[in-house]
Amino acid sequence: MSDSVKLYLFKKHLEFLERKTGKGTELISLYIPPERNIADVMNYLKEEYSQAGNIKSPRTRKNVQSAIVSIMQRLKLINKPPKNGLVIFAGTIAENNKEKLEIYLLEPIDKINSFIYRCDSKFFLEPLKQMLTYKRDAYGLLVIDRGEATIAILKGKNISIVKHIESNVPRKHGKGGQSQRRFERLIEQAAHEYFKRVAEKAKEIFNSIENLKGIIIGGPGPTKEFFVKEGYLGELTKKVLDVVDTSYTDEYGIRELVDKAEKILKEEEINKEKRLVRKFLEEVVKDGLAIYGEKEVRNAIENGCVDIVLISEKYEKYRVKISCRNCGYEYFETIEDIKKLEKEIAGKRCIKCQNTTLEIEDYKTLIEELSELSEKTGAKVEIISTETDEGMQFLAFGGIGALLRYKI
Ligand code: ZN
């Protein structure tokens, strides 16, 4: 699943959870970091269970305790938290004059850093919402001069300094004559060794980054340009997005670099989307490798000829499976409003057995459903925002299209 789809679905989950409320302070939110031992969490919950015994309202007391029990039942089935940790929401939800104990397990799109247990009348979603506010792409950062170099990774708004390297290149000072030239050769030799050392470390670090979108290099003097131009980074030189001036080459230098590079990074993200939409429109105009419309896109995905599916974030539809309770007949429909569909099919006859026994068996957002379908045939799905002119243009075009591998 592409990052943009993951992010979109995660956002939808959060919107869904945000609408849930309890009558009292009885909805539990539990954040478990990946390194946390499940047995510890169980002990913590046992303690909370007995604490809940002090709650005055018998109703709230009962609801909190049942929520804790249901969380513990789920945790029993888990050996250890997944890669990014685990979030569990549980509690008695008050909806349409009905009350029901609901529980949701969620694997966050980014790592959970601290253990949180909260009990409130709403679910505590702040840490997850924060994950949405920044971009998921990662960048390699390097600041360098002849004295030192610092290597870091930028992921979202998070900077991690990975390595600091000191050089042992002596400073130039005039001695004059024969020994001066020999001395300078030694200095250049030492500088070369130092650049190689920095490059090796940088390659090792940058190559290990998942989703590396580019590298930005900084430093105070001409060294940084020399370093890039001489190709010390080998293959990775192609990934260098920009070389900028900074005053420092330590952690401060890295922060300067990020400040200066912010514009480049934002443009990079937006450009990707612009390029995709432009390519799509170009192909449409010349009746080339592009199609649009849900039905056409769906067929093309099923035929395996789609390279990239483009869907506008504002294309908010559902794919619904409707089945007949009586004869088992089933069919799919794409709709915008589930409540409306529920009313419609309540009075509708099954085309096979003629009974009014149709019901909604299952539904998904169209984006989720098409992503799953695409995965089977190796097509990628990209969500197009409405933040750019191109994105708005695409939405005006219907909001769904695809670039093809070959013509149907
Ligand atoms: Zn039927």
Side-chain angles (χ1 to χ4, degrees):
M1 216 177 262
S2 80
D3 281 359
S4 68
V5 173
K6 269 189 223 159
L7 203 61
Y8 173 85
L9 295 178
F10 191 68
K11 204 156 111 189
K12 288 284 149 195
H13 277 306
L14 296 192
E15 283 171 14
F16 169 80
L17 290 167
E18 194 150 44
R19 290 195 290 268
K20 305 277 176 192
T21 51
K23 263 191 183 156
T25 308
E26 55 195 43
L27 303 192
I28 295 173
S29 310
L30 180 69
Y31 285 71
I32 309 172
E35 59 279 354
R36 189 79 176 214
N37 193 325
I38 295 288
D40 285 350
V41 180
M42 288 296 246
N43 286 331
Y44 186 95
L45 290 172
K46 274 179 205 152
E47 183 58 32
E48 284 296 335
Y49 183 91
S50 59
Q51 288 282 325
N54 301 324
I55 297 171
K56 282 201 189 81
S57 148
R59 213 196 121 264
T60 309
R61 186 194 318 138
K62 182 181 139 272
N63 285 345
V64 170
Q65 289 188 327
S66 351
I68 295 176
V69 169
S70 78
I71 295 174
M72 290 173 77
Q73 280 165 351
R74 288 301 184 94
L75 282 178
K76 265 184 209 152
L77 308 172
I78 297 166
N79 287 326
K80 66 193 267 278
K83 192 171 106 235
N84 286 333
L86 182 65
V87 192
I88 305 179
F89 300 104
T92 303
I93 305 297
E95 223 166 21
N96 310 325
N97 298 321
K98 271 182 274 178
E99 291 199 342
K100 204 174 111 222
L101 178 65
E102 297 181 13
I103 180 162
Y104 301 96
L105 278 74
L106 200 72
E107 258 188 76
I109 48 170
D110 212 353
K111 192 171 165 264
I112 296 169
N113 293 314
S114 41
F115 180 83
I116 300 170
Y117 174 93
R118 283 273 178 111
C119 194
D120 207 335
S121 58
K122 290 195 78 128
F123 290 129
F124 179 60
L125 301 168
E126 289 316 313
L128 298 179
K129 280 191 198 160
Q130 273 171 24
M131 295 178 184
L132 290 175
T133 58
Y134 56 76
K135 301 280 185 265
R136 319 279 321 133
D137 295 340
Y139 296 87
L141 307 173
L142 167 68
V143 279
I144 184 168
D145 65 5
R146 285 168 79 96
E148 61 175 0
T150 309
I151 304 168
I153 297 170
L154 174 71
K155 198 168 181 210
K157 289 206 162 109
N158 213 332
I159 303 169
S160 38
I161 309 285
V162 186
K163 185 84 189 165
H164 181 252
I165 299 168
E166 300 268 344
S167 86
N168 43 18
V169 182
R171 295 198 178 276
K172 292 178 190 174
H173 48 84
K175 269 185 180 167
Q178 184 73 26
S179 65
Q180 171 73 23
R181 276 196 299 282
R182 202 173 65 92
F183 190 57
E184 269 170 12
R185 261 205 317 279
L186 285 175
I187 288 177
E188 286 324 303
Q189 184 62 33
H192 176 64
E193 290 303 325
Y194 158 69
F195 292 151
K196 262 178 30 190
R197 198 149 52 90
V198 172
E200 281 318 307
K201 211 64 220 176
K203 280 191 245 176
E204 188 189 310
I205 292 164
F206 296 160
N207 279 325
S208 73
I209 302 175
E210 219 183 308
N211 291 332
L212 178 73
K213 286 289 139 75
I215 297 166
I216 301 163
I217 295 182
T223 302
K224 56 185 182 301
E225 278 94 6
F226 178 81
F227 182 81
V228 175
K229 225 166 52 208
E230 292 295 305
Y232 279 99
L233 286 174
E235 273 294 295
L236 280 180
T237 308
K238 279 188 250 158
K239 289 247 176 190
V240 176
L241 296 174
D242 208 354
V243 181
V244 301
D245 277 315
T246 63
S247 317
Y248 301 96
T249 41
D250 54 5
E251 199 178 325
Y252 292 107
I254 290 285
R255 291 189 192 280
E256 271 185 277
L257 189 66
V258 172
D259 285 345
K260 292 202 170 174
E262 204 150 304
K263 224 177 120 202
I264 305 162
L265 301 182
K266 206 166 256 166
E267 274 166 14
E268 186 66 17
E269 183 70 19
I270 290 170
N271 281 341
K272 185 181 149 199
E273 178 172 301
K274 286 185 169 186
R275 276 198 301 269
L276 258 181
V277 175
R278 277 190 206 139
K279 172 105 193 287
F280 169 77
L281 293 174
E282 262 170 47
E283 293 293 330
V284 168
V285 167
K286 66 178 186 199
D287 195 19
L289 295 173
I291 48 160
Y292 50 91
E294 187 207 330
K295 214 170 169 184
E296 289 73 10
V297 170
R298 183 183 300 281
N299 281 338
I301 298 172
E302 278 166 355
N303 287 329
C305 53
V306 171
D307 183 17
I308 303 171
V309 181
L310 288 74
I311 309 180
S312 169
E313 63 177 0
K314 289 279 151 63
Y315 196 83
E316 289 176 322
K317 295 195 178 178
Y318 297 92
R319 186 71 173 166
V320 188
K321 184 179 182 183
I322 299 156
S323 63
C324 173
R325 261 197 322 273
N326 183 46
C327 72
Y329 172 71
E330 53 183 47
Y331 64 101
F332 290 88
E333 235 179 81
T334 301
I335 50 122
E336 268 171 47
D337 188 341
I338 293 194
K339 289 257 152 51
K340 201 173 132 206
L341 180 76
E342 259 171 2
K343 277 186 204 136
E344 265 172 38
I345 61 167
K348 203 172 158 190
R349 288 185 187 281
C350 166
I351 58 159
K352 219 173 160 194
C353 72
Q354 303 302 324
N355 283 307
T356 49
T357 41
L358 293 173
E359 59 187 10
I360 293 175
E361 194 185 311
D362 193 13
Y363 70 89
K364 278 176 187 163
T365 64
L366 192 77
I367 291 181
E368 187 173 9
E369 190 253 345
L370 283 181
S371 296
E372 285 171 7
L373 189 63
S374 298
E375 231 152 71
K376 289 181 198 148
T377 59
K380 289 190 287 282
V381 178
E382 291 294 342
I383 309 292
I384 307 297
S385 83
T386 44
E387 284 163 29
T388 60
D389 288 347
E390 281 80 357
M392 290 303 288
Q393 225 176 324
F394 182 69
L395 182 62
F397 212 85
I400 183 163
L403 287 164
L404 304 175
R405 294 198 185 107
Y406 51 86
K407 221 166 157 143
I408 308 167

